[in-house]
Amino acid sequence: MQLSALFCLNGRDNGQRFSVISGLTFFVLFLACIEIGATATLYIPGILLLPILALTSYRRLRDSGKPLRLMGLSIIPFLLVLFTLVQIDSAIMLIILTLLSALAVGYLSILPAATRTNYIQGYSGPVNLTNKSTAPQMRTRVEPTLSVKQYGDASQPRASDKPTQQIMTPESPQPASHQTGKQSEVLTGITSWLRANPKRMLTVMFSLLGIVLLMSVWSLLMHRDVPSDLQQAQNKTQAVKASSDRVSTTLPDGVSLALENDVLIVRWLGETGSATTLWSLATGVGDKSCAILKFNNGTEYRPIEVNLLADTGTEARFSPLDTQAIVADMARRSHVNLCGYRFSLKGSQAAINKVSAFARYL
């Protein structure tokens, strides 16, 4: 097969050639996915294969005399398969799209030719696919002759002088098996039914396409709303690890101090609403009353971030550079203000000294 025939615009392809080229196009795409992976790089071989599929569909429709808009039956499923391989991690959707592509290719393959055409390797057009190798010439057997002096007159014919003739008997064709005959009859019946009912075939194909689209939308929504078991397990592991790394102590007025790798957290309960960020030092956006932690002696510290959690708890995180100074002020001052709240610090020194992780800062 010459490559120029794959990109021919003036030729025609019969059903067998079209189905082979289309099948190889999808096979190469899946093979590239195995070698490259389901990444955006897969679009490169997909774009290179698309013209081959489009042109063989064009030649098949020219051969069958059908409108060229039916090229979408082979091109659209190919693009959907390519998009699914790269963007959507859904094996069910990929299988359904592959079956839909096979039905589309099968339908275009069984379309009868509009006119009688002589095909060479399933192709008819300006590209010459005839084998240029010539058949080997017949050799003529030369019989040996005898000398006249030794064996007499050469004019007398002898039996040994008659040229030998090779009797060529054509090989008798092997009869087809009974099972192969039954399979051929079944395929012929299916092909005849599909040719007689093209509208039903199109209805089935478009129905399957609609089902695929609905299933893909449903799969995307479910995948977005419901986290996977692996993700839930990872979240639980991170939560357990964070709680195990945190050391905390509760002060008499309901304020808690917590340490996470030298990061001081001031926590209290009482807020309502969904989880959100009340204040962020990095952006300077949020509740300005949460921007400063102020003690009664006028000492001020800026929290890095103040977050409202889902359990109605509010946590203010501070820089590790301020941890020692804030813990000391919590133990020695009488009250502190943050986010519009005034917390009493009476008895806080005793609560801090009970936990060695905080006592070392005093």
Side-chain angles (χ1 to χ4, degrees), residues 52-353:
I52 298 177
L53 179 63
L55 289 174
T56 187
S57 302
Y58 172 78
R59 292 191 298 269
R60 178 80 271 268
L61 292 174
R62 289 187 74 248
D63 181 65
S64 60
K66 298 297 180 180
L68 297 181
R69 63 175 178 268
L70 293 181
M71 290 175 60
L73 293 178
S74 60
I75 296 176
I76 293 177
F78 178 82
L79 294 176
L80 290 176
V81 169
L82 177 61
F83 181 79
T84 303
L85 288 173
V86 178
Q87 302 293 341
I88 304 176
D89 186 13
S90 177
I92 296 177
M93 183 176 178
L94 182 61
I95 293 174
I96 295 176
L97 285 174
T98 304
L99 293 177
L100 182 63
S101 303
L103 288 175
V105 171
Y107 170 73
L108 295 178
S109 299
I110 64 174
L111 293 176
T115 57
R116 284 184 169 273
T117 307
N118 294 325
Y119 299 99
I120 300 176
Q121 299 179 10
Y123 169 82
S124 176
V127 180
N128 186 12
L129 299 182
T130 306
N131 294 329
K132 297 181 179 181
S133 59
T134 57
Q137 298 180 353
M138 295 294 295
R139 293 183 179 181
T140 303
R141 180 178 177 180
V142 179
E143 293 295 333
T145 57
L146 299 178
S147 173
V148 177
K149 294 181 180 181
Q150 292 180 357
Y151 294 96
D153 189 3
S155 63
Q156 298 295 328
R158 290 185 297 272
S160 60
D161 294 338
K162 294 181 180 180
T164 59
Q165 297 180 355
Q166 291 183 348
I167 302 176
M168 303 297 293
T169 59
E171 295 182 357
S172 59
Q174 297 293 331
S177 64
H178 185 64
Q179 183 177 3
T180 305
K182 285 186 176 181
Q183 292 178 354
S184 301
E185 291 178 0
V186 172
L187 292 176
T188 303
I190 294 175
T191 304
S192 301
W193 184 88
L194 292 176
R195 288 178 177 177
N197 301 275
K199 293 184 178 180
R200 293 184 181 181
M201 182 67 178
L202 289 175
T203 302
V204 172
M205 291 175 60
F206 283 113
S207 299
L208 289 176
L209 180 59
I211 293 173
V212 167
L213 294 177
L214 291 176
M215 291 183 63
S216 62
V217 172
W218 177 79
S219 177
L220 290 175
L221 293 176
M222 294 297 294
H223 182 73
R224 180 178 299 176
D225 294 339
V226 181
S228 61
D229 295 339
L230 179 60
Q231 185 178 0
Q232 291 180 352
Q234 290 177 350
N235 293 337
K236 290 181 180 180
T237 303
Q238 293 176 357
V240 171
K241 183 178 180 181
S243 62
S244 62
D245 293 341
R246 175 179 289 196
V247 180
S248 61
T249 181
T250 303
L251 305 184
D253 200 17
V255 181
S256 300
L257 299 181
L259 283 174
E260 288 183 0
N261 298 326
D262 293 332
V263 176
L264 180 66
I265 301 172
V266 179
R267 173 184 171 88
W268 68 93
L269 300 175
E271 296 286 347
T272 58
S274 58
T276 184
T277 300
L278 300 178
W279 167 258
S280 174
L281 181 62
T283 60
V285 177
D287 188 354
K288 299 298 182 181
S289 63
C290 297
I292 296 176
L293 174 73
K294 186 175 182 180
F295 290 92
N296 60 292
N297 66 340
T299 307
E300 296 179 351
Y301 302 93
R302 289 186 175 273
I304 298 175
E305 195 174 61
V306 181
N307 296 313
L308 175 61
L309 306 182
D311 61 352
T312 70
T314 305
E315 293 186 353
R317 294 176 175 266
F318 295 85
S319 171
L321 300 176
D322 297 331
T323 299
Q324 183 174 1
I326 295 175
V327 172
D329 283 332
M330 285 286 184
R332 297 167 184 170
R333 309 306 169 194
S334 61
H335 63 268
V336 65
N337 296 284
L338 181 62
C339 293
Y341 291 94
R342 179 174 177 173
F343 302 104
S344 175
L345 299 178
K346 292 181 180 180
S348 60
Q349 185 171 3
I352 292 174
N353 284 326

